């Protein structure tokens, strides 16, 4: 204990501004790490690792245990190789998020006015189908591609490459039809494939929700949103509720209007901002006219 106190005083005597920057960088690193691991099973595992490390450090510092200290010093270097294996899915997900930052293909596609019009029409058809599916309590999972390629997922389904219509989506997700079990993938405003198998989520997001009606369809929608930047629309078969999964998060209890606005926010950000600025200009013009008439 006396050695621990002396070491602490030794560090405190040499504490300067560079030490503050050093500590701040380490704090930022662990904050980002915990942010990326939020709502995952790895976060619980990481807490256990930290607890074990703290306990071992306290025991070896306060009590003279030569054999145990030798064992800890021998095993510690192996953790350099063990930790990447344990947290491999989270590390892969973090690197994928970093890679998406430089991918501007989605915004390039949406900058074309004709493409925006087609996207708007497709979103209206998807919304119309989702509302009708919700009213009929027909389960559905529609995955809309943004930047990341989904080729590996629609290859395991039935390739369609058809125009998006509400009637087509209603027919696909009609119970007991050949294509109703699985996901529909929408790419470039077309239905690329149906009956596609999506990766299931391994996070604890669904376990923390109060609803117990979220099954494999919701887990699959959340899973594809975790491994890609796609937008997954889920209609519950039990309750008829409409949800959107994006970047490992759920937006739940959507009606038709909120669903369409949410899809526009994710898939037509430029157009939405243009509309808002246009409405603002129209409001200003109207106010100016009213002010002029008042004068």
């Amino acid at each position: 204990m006396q050695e621990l106190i002396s070491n602490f005083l030794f560090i405190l005597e040499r504490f300067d501004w560079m030490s503050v920057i050093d500590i701040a960088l380490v704090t930022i690193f662990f904050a980002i790490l915990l942010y990326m691991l939020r709502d995952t099973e790895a976060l619980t595992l990481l807490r256990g690792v930290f607890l074990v490390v703290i306990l071992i450090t306290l025991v070896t510092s306060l009590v003279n245990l030569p054999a145990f200290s030798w064992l800890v010093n021998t095993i510690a270097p192996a953790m350099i190789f063990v930790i990447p294996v344990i947290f491999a899915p989270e590390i892969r997900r973090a690197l994928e998020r970093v890679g998406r930052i430089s991918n501007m293909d989605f915004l390039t596609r949406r900058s074309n006015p004709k493409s925006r019009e087609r996207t708007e029409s497709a979103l209206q058809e998807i919304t119309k189908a989702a509302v009708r599916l919700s009213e009929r309590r027909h389960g559905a999972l529609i995955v809309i591609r943004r930047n990341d390629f989904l080729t590996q997922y629609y290859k395991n389904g039935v390739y369609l490459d058809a125009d998006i219509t509400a009637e087509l989506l209603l027919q696909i997700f009609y119970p007991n039809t050949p294509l109703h079990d699985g996901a529909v993938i929408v790419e470039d405003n077309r239905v690329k494939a149906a009956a596609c198998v999506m990766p299931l989520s391994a996070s604890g997001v669904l376990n923390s929700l109060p609803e117990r009606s979220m099954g494999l369809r919701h887990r699959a929608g959340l899973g594809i949103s975790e491994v890609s930047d796609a937008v997954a629309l889920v209609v519950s078969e039990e309750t008829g509720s409409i949800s959107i999964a994006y970047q490992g998060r759920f937006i739940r209890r959507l009606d038709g209007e909120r669903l369409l606005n949410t899809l526009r926010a994710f898939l037509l950000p430029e157009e939405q901002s243009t509309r808002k600025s246009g409405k603002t200009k129209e409001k200003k013009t109207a106010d100016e006219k009213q002010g002029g008439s008042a004068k």
Side-chain angles (χ1 to χ4, degrees):
M1 187 66 181
Q2 186 176 0
E3 184 181 355
L4 184 63
I5 295 175
S6 62
N7 290 335
F8 178 75
L9 294 174
F10 178 79
I11 295 173
L12 192 61
E13 289 175 357
R14 287 157 179 79
F15 197 80
D16 54 8
W17 286 108
M18 292 302 297
S19 302
V20 174
I21 297 174
D22 191 19
I23 294 174
L25 291 176
V26 174
T27 304
I28 292 171
F29 171 79
F30 280 103
I32 294 174
L33 179 64
L34 293 174
Y35 178 77
M36 290 189 297
L37 295 179
R38 70 193 189 283
D39 297 325
T40 64
E41 295 178 355
L43 184 59
T44 305
L45 182 61
L46 188 64
R47 290 173 184 169
V49 172
F50 281 153
L51 181 61
V52 170
V53 170
I54 292 172
L55 288 176
I56 291 175
T57 303
L58 290 176
V59 169
T60 55
S61 300
L62 300 177
V63 184
N64 186 19
L65 301 172
F68 185 72
S69 299
W70 172 84
L71 180 63
V72 171
N73 294 331
T74 304
I75 296 176
M79 297 301 294
I80 299 175
F81 302 97
V82 173
I83 290 177
V85 174
I86 295 175
F87 298 105
E90 285 72 23
I91 294 173
R92 180 176 178 271
R93 192 179 306 158
L95 294 176
E96 286 177 349
R97 288 179 180 176
V98 174
R100 289 174 199 150
I101 296 175
S102 60
N103 192 345
M104 302 301 291
D105 179 55
F106 171 76
L107 294 178
T108 303
R109 294 198 310 268
R110 296 300 184 270
S111 61
N112 188 349
K114 291 184 179 180
S115 178
R116 290 203 301 268
E117 292 177 3
R118 290 193 296 268
T119 303
E120 173 67 23
S121 175
L123 295 183
Q124 290 180 1
E125 291 294 321
I126 292 172
T127 302
K128 189 189 304 181
V131 171
R132 292 168 66 178
L133 288 167
S134 174
E135 294 172 351
R136 301 176 184 181
R137 300 287 179 88
H138 292 174
L141 174 56
I142 303 173
V143 179
I144 307 173
R145 183 208 164 200
R146 297 181 79 244
N147 283 324
D148 296 348
F149 291 103
L150 303 176
T151 308
Q152 58 177 324
Y153 300 110
Y154 69 67
K155 279 187 175 180
N156 60 39
V158 179
Y159 189 76
L160 297 178
D161 194 22
D163 292 332
I164 297 179
T165 62
E167 290 73 18
L168 175 61
L169 294 175
L170 289 171
Q171 182 60 39
I172 290 175
F173 291 112
Y174 191 83
N176 300 323
T177 54
L179 302 180
H180 88 283
D181 192 12
V184 162
I185 295 180
V186 175
E187 181 178 330
D188 293 333
N189 304 320
R190 295 181 66 82
V191 177
K192 279 292 182 180
C196 301
V197 179
M198 297 288 109
L200 299 180
S201 172
S203 69
V205 173
L206 295 179
N207 297 331
S208 63
L209 297 177
E211 290 86 349
R212 299 298 179 187
S213 60
M214 294 191 175
L216 287 178
R217 188 172 283 112
H218 290 83
R219 194 169 293 275
L222 189 63
I224 190 63
S225 74
E226 291 173 347
V227 301
S228 70
D229 66 343
V231 178
L233 189 157
V234 188
V235 180
S236 174
E237 188 174 354
E238 295 185 11
T239 64
S241 63
I242 303 174
S243 306
I244 284 181
Y246 181 67
Q247 291 186 349
R249 285 287 186 273
F250 260 124
I251 304 174
R252 299 175 293 134
R253 299 171 184 172
L254 298 172
D255 55 16
E257 184 178 358
R258 286 186 61 201
L259 173 61
L260 183 58
N261 290 333
T262 304
L263 291 175
R264 284 171 178 165
F266 288 140
L267 300 163
L268 289 172
E270 293 181 353
E271 183 179 5
Q272 192 177 46
S273 61
T274 303
R275 287 183 175 183
K276 288 182 179 179
S277 62
K279 288 181 180 179
T280 304
K281 290 180 180 178
E282 291 177 359
K283 186 177 180 180
K284 287 182 179 179
T285 304
D287 292 341
E288 290 176 357
K289 288 182 179 179
Q290 289 179 358
S293 60
K295 289 179 181 179

